[in-house]
């Protein structure tokens, strides 16, 4: 609220009427750790029992990455997720490597606007020069800004058996959703093995 007339989409961009679900971009913080865990599991480089050392902060030049309520010990992937470890998340993303981490985010649609009946969402704010530090901070939700709609769309294959279903504001049956997801020619992700 306040609402806008979908037949006059330009009204939605008025700062007092902006649809924050599709046009507000935010650094999502720790919820991005879900994406990082899915990425390292999907890559086959780790499983839920793989251990990442979260004993001490990561120092990168003048920057440091630490945990808010750190356990200060090695953590399994499962524990890193449960305890919301920034250190372990950064190490998972670096275990994947910068190109593979970025490719996974792209595969989930987090680097492109989401297209619905209302048109494309706002574009994400992506680092101009994507380096190791960007990958480490994006792993725990900082340095990449996306819309809530993008995050919700990217999360669908993680909880839907690996099947990405393009979002809609219109009613559709399960069968229609499956048909759209398998026949989609848009740059939405193919089914992921983590699910």
């Amino acid at each position: 609220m306040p609402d806008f007339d979908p037949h006059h989409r330009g009204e939605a961009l008025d700062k007092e009427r902006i649809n924050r679900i599709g046009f507000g971009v935010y650094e999502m913080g720790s919820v991005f750790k879900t994406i990082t865990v899915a990425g390292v599991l999907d890559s086959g480089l780790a499983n839920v029992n793989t251990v990442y050392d979260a004993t001490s902060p990561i120092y990168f030049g003048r920057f440091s990455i630490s945990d808010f309520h750190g356990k200060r010990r090695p953590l399994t992937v499962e524990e890193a997720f449960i305890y919301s470890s920034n250190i372990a998340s950064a190490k998972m993303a670096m275990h994947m490597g910068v190109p593979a981490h970025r490719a996974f985010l792209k595969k989930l649609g987090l680097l492109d606007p989401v297209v619905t009946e209302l048109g494309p969402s706002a574009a994400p704010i992506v680092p101009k020069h994507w380096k190791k530090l960007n990958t480490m901070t994006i792993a725990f939700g900082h340095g990449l800004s996306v819309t809530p709609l993008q995050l919700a769309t990217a999360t669908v294959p993680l909880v839907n058996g690996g099947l990405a279903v393009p979002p809609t504001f219109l009613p559709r049956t399960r069968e229609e959703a499956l048909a759209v997801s398998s026949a989609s020619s848009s740059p939405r992700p193919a089914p992921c093995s983590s699910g």
Side-chain angles (χ1 to χ4, degrees):
M1 294 303 258
D3 208 350
F4 66 95
D5 183 345
H7 294 290
H8 302 285
R9 291 185 317 181
E11 293 176 6
L13 300 178
D14 179 327
K15 72 176 189 167
E16 300 303 320
R17 295 179 175 217
I18 191 167
N19 170 353
R20 285 169 174 59
I21 300 289
F23 295 100
V25 290
Y26 311 95
E27 287 185 340
M28 294 293 184
S30 289
V31 296
F32 243 71
K33 293 171 186 167
T34 305
I35 305 295
T36 303
V37 167
V40 78
L41 295 175
D42 190 66
S43 72
L45 294 170
N47 61 53
V48 293
N49 297 312
T50 301
V51 174
Y52 291 92
D53 188 4
T55 305
S56 56
I58 299 171
Y59 295 99
F60 195 91
R62 61 188 170 114
F63 300 99
S64 67
I65 296 171
S66 58
D67 289 338
F68 189 64
H69 291 293
K71 296 297 178 187
R72 294 178 177 72
R73 64 176 175 82
L75 301 171
T76 64
V77 169
E78 182 178 16
E79 290 174 323
F81 184 74
I82 291 168
Y83 300 128
S84 194
S85 173
N86 296 339
I87 297 167
S89 295
K91 288 185 177 183
M92 283 181 226
M94 289 311 300
H95 190 189
M96 291 174 68
V98 174
H101 178 249
R102 185 173 178 165
F104 189 72
L105 297 175
K106 175 90 172 159
K107 181 179 178 181
L108 291 177
L110 288 165
L111 304 183
D112 300 298
V114 174
V115 179
T116 68
E117 297 83 7
L118 297 178
S121 68
I125 300 174
V126 179
K128 288 182 182 175
H129 305 287
W130 198 309
K131 307 279 187 186
K132 287 181 182 181
L133 184 59
N134 301 105
T135 288
M136 286 191 274
T137 60
I138 290 168
F140 56 87
H142 296 281
L144 173 65
S145 296
V146 299
T147 67
L149 180 60
Q150 282 177 289
L151 183 65
T153 303
T155 304
V156 167
L158 308 184
V159 298
N160 195 31
L163 186 62
V165 180
T168 183
F169 294 104
L170 302 175
R172 68 179 167 205
T173 66
R174 177 177 172 77
E175 292 73 24
E176 290 168 335
L178 290 172
V180 171
S181 65
S182 61
S184 177
S185 60
S186 69
R188 301 303 314 148
C192 302
S193 62
S194 64

